[in-house]
Amino acid sequence: MPPAGSRPVDNLDDDDYPAYTMGRAAEMLGTTPAFLRALGEHRLITPLRSEGGHRRYSRYQLRIAARARELADQGTPIEAACRIVILEDQLEEARRINEQLRTRGHDSKSSA
């Protein structure tokens, strides 16, 4: 049951909403459920579970999984692919935070 005040349509724009079953996610990525389970075992993505215990994936998780699949398709072992994707994600987050801090610093200097 969705929280009070939220509309189901809001979930369509939510990158973190666990909208995809394991079968659908594997189909969209052109891979197997076993590949998705392996990503979970290597802690790259942790799918949410439905009330029945089934794995559910978000669009964000599918993008992460797609990047791992690219690396695996190029011959990178799954464990290494997961580590690379984690590091890439951390780097992107650090760059985003750095840009925010740089922008704030610039804004405060221009208003002084």
Side-chain angles (χ1 to χ4, degrees):
M1 185 97 135
S6 76
R7 299 180 329 222
V9 166
D10 293 341
N11 295 332
L12 296 175
D13 296 327
D14 186 352
D15 253 8
D16 295 317
Y17 181 72
Y20 304 98
T21 63
M22 176 180 273
R24 180 68 178 128
E27 180 183 314
M28 290 170 69
L29 294 170
T31 190
T32 63
F35 179 79
L36 291 172
R37 282 191 294 275
L39 298 182
E41 290 168 12
H42 292 291
R43 296 189 182 112
L44 179 62
I45 54 176
T46 304
L48 289 164
R49 298 283 182 148
S50 68
E51 288 183 22
H54 300 283
R55 290 173 178 89
R56 305 285 294 194
Y57 297 88
S58 69
R59 287 188 307 202
Y60 173 75
Q61 289 172 324
L62 293 184
R63 283 195 302 275
I64 296 289
R67 176 64 181 131
R69 177 160 186 239
E70 286 175 19
L71 291 167
D73 287 351
Q74 295 169 8
T76 305
I78 187 99
E79 187 173 356
C82 290
R83 187 68 185 136
I84 290 167
V85 174
I86 288 168
L87 291 170
E88 287 175 343
D89 198 47
Q90 289 172 343
L91 178 60
E92 183 57 36
E93 177 69 6
R95 286 179 173 157
R96 187 188 61 73
I97 291 169
N98 192 18
E99 184 58 32
Q100 286 177 343
L101 292 172
R102 194 175 305 135
T103 301
R104 281 190 207 141
H106 179 54
D107 290 347
S108 65
K109 288 178 186 175
S110 62
S111 64

